[in-house]
Amino acid sequence: MRVFLGSTLLTMRNLALCLFFATLAAAQDFATKADAYVQSWVRDKQFRGVVLVAQNGQPIFRKAYGNANDEWDLPNTPDTKFRLGSITKQFTAVAILQLAERGKLKLGDPIKTFYPDAPASWDAITIHHLLNHTSGIPSYTNLPDFAPKLSRQALKPLDIVKLTQDKPLEFPPGEGYKYNNTGYILLGVVIEKVSGQSYATYLQKNIFDPLGMRDSGYDLAAPVLKKRASGYQPDGTNAPFLDMTLPYAAGSLYSTVDDLLKWEQAMYTEKLISRASFEKMTTPGKGEYGYGIVSQTLFGKQAHGHGGGINGFNTMLLRFPNEKVTVMALANQNGPAAERIARDLSRLYFGEDVKPRPLSSEV
């Protein structure tokens, strides 16, 4: 019996070692292929930034590429801070859901409750409509003079709202879908009015601090921020200046891949919001958009995600909840690379054949 037990234990130990080395070899093979793929974008001067792929919350591929600042020839590192653009909307949505759970507001509350100066055409618009882009309010970023005339101006949130509040709704509330940054500006206004804190302070105290996200925050130009990446256009020139009061609750945050992994992992627990609230976030309204999250099927698998685009930066964060796989790409250069890289590395992880860009490839 002792010999049998000893042999069994030995066999189990050998099996565990075999599984460990097989898993390690698979991870190394994936990392080699992933790096070759990303390097082909870097070679073509289409990507600079940081990429991370994680399984069960543990990184299996995490690497930085290109420069954070060309003028000083400073390279990106895994802890470089990037502007997130519209990934910010996830944080805004969670803040609203927290306040709803605390009885400070209801998702069905009319926006006029919090913004009495709203026009009569907005009477039927609720917080729910703002969260999933079904309000019909025109987006201020679609104004023809926004980029050439307004992008350098510091504006208060309500001044941003007023840019489009005198324009007709694009469809009756709840009857259509159109991605809308003005709606998320209004949600920031709601957060401030209900909490009595600034948007930045609320997120710091209720999201970043509880999760230990020490390298995340509201990105303003004036404060000195260590390891902040500079943003570039596709041709390698400096991105046009954008006053960071303008994206506000729709796109103002900065973070790192490691902090975003903490955030993404917390979303699947009840550290920040209840399971019921998270189900609301990931339930699509019109189209695939829930509350700050796009819920869709990618490569035959359920996926939650959001991208971001802002002057000099493009970002993508994907999560496959059933497989517990996270993929993200943060770029300090505008262009399609961040989204394409995140999607293709997901495909690669799930066993599809993903080749590096050929030398003659063009975007």
Side-chain angles (χ1 to χ4, degrees):
M1 180 66 71
R2 293 192 193 93
V3 174
F4 175 76
L5 283 173
S7 300
T8 301
L9 289 172
L10 185 60
T11 301
M12 291 175 64
R13 184 176 298 168
N14 289 343
L15 178 61
L17 286 172
C18 288
L19 289 172
F20 170 78
F21 285 116
T23 301
L24 180 62
Q28 290 173 338
D29 181 60
F30 170 79
T32 299
K33 291 178 178 177
D35 183 47
Y37 174 77
V38 179
Q39 288 284 8
S40 68
W41 285 86
V42 178
R43 176 202 66 212
D44 294 343
K45 298 182 179 180
Q46 297 294 323
F47 178 73
R48 62 174 81 201
V50 181
V51 177
L52 182 144
V53 180
Q55 167 73 59
N56 292 314
Q58 298 301 314
I60 59 173
F61 180 63
R62 174 178 173 271
K63 190 168 181 180
Y65 300 86
N67 279 348
N69 184 284
D70 281 347
E71 291 166 328
W72 287 89
D73 200 28
L74 298 175
N76 278 316
T77 63
D79 57 353
T80 298
K81 299 178 177 72
F82 295 83
R83 288 182 175 174
L84 298 181
S86 286
I87 291 177
T88 297
K89 291 180 173 68
Q90 292 188 9
F91 295 85
T92 300
V94 165
I96 288 288
L97 289 166
Q98 286 180 335
L99 292 169
E101 289 182 1
R102 296 166 189 172
K104 302 292 186 180
L105 56 82
K106 295 183 176 66
L107 301 182
D109 285 343
I111 188 58
K112 208 155 192 173
T113 303
F114 309 97
Y115 179 44
D117 292 337
S121 61
W122 292 15
D123 285 355
I125 295 174
T126 66
I127 290 175
H128 165 79
H129 294 136
L130 301 179
L131 285 165
N132 67 4
H133 301 298
T134 59
S135 69
I137 297 172
S139 181
Y140 71 101
T141 49
N142 291 337
L143 293 172
D145 59 349
F146 175 73
K149 294 183 180 180
L150 298 174
S151 60
R152 303 184 70 87
Q153 296 183 25
L155 294 178
K156 294 180 180 179
L158 289 181
D159 291 330
I160 300 172
V161 173
K162 290 173 184 176
L163 293 173
T164 58
Q165 76 173 37
D166 62 342
K167 300 185 182 304
L169 294 179
E170 297 181 316
F171 48 80
E175 295 187 18
Y177 166 87
K178 190 171 182 181
Y179 194 81
N180 176 6
N181 286 307
T182 301
Y184 270 76
I185 300 297
L186 278 163
L187 290 171
V189 171
V190 172
I191 291 166
E192 293 196 349
K193 185 162 188 177
V194 169
S195 70
Q197 299 173 323
S198 71
Y199 174 78
T201 299
Y202 181 89
L203 263 58
Q204 190 67 49
K205 292 185 176 180
N206 292 274
I207 295 178
F208 300 142
D209 287 346
L211 296 184
M213 295 175 66
R214 296 181 179 85
D215 295 318
S216 303
Y218 194 119
D219 194 354
L220 293 171
V224 174
L225 183 60
K226 300 289 187 181
K227 298 186 178 180
R228 170 165 47 189
S230 300
Y232 295 91
Q233 299 197 85
D235 63 2
T237 58
N238 289 315
F241 178 81
L242 175 69
D243 191 287
M244 290 301 288
T245 60
L246 297 173
Y248 184 51
S252 63
L253 300 183
Y254 70 85
S255 192
T256 65
V257 291
D258 293 334
D259 265 12
L260 284 180
L261 186 59
K262 293 177 183 178
W263 159 256
E264 180 275 330
Q265 289 292 293
M267 294 286 282
Y268 295 87
T269 69
E270 295 190 283
K271 290 181 180 179
L272 297 176
I273 55 174
S274 68
R275 198 69 198 163
S277 290
F278 183 70
E279 290 297 324
K280 292 176 182 176
M281 282 192 76
T282 54
T283 299
K286 302 285 184 181
E288 298 174 327
Y289 206 98
Y291 293 169
I293 287 181
V294 177
S295 296
Q296 58 189 161
T297 300
L298 290 178
F299 327 121
K301 297 171 175 58
Q302 183 185 11
H304 299 151
H306 210 294
I310 198 167
N311 296 27
F313 296 85
N314 277 89
T315 59
M316 190 68 191
L317 173 61
L318 285 174
R319 161 80 173 192
F320 298 87
N322 295 329
E323 293 76 19
K324 296 183 173 59
V325 172
T326 307
V327 184
M328 66 183 80
L330 307 181
N332 57 318
Q333 177 176 321
N334 285 134
E339 180 175 358
R340 291 274 296 277
I341 288 170
R343 286 174 178 260
D344 281 349
L345 291 189
S346 300
R347 291 173 52 223
L348 180 65
Y349 180 88
F350 293 124
E352 293 191 30
D353 187 24
V354 177
K355 302 290 187 184
R357 291 159 57 92
L359 287 173
S360 60
S361 178
E362 295 181 358
V363 176

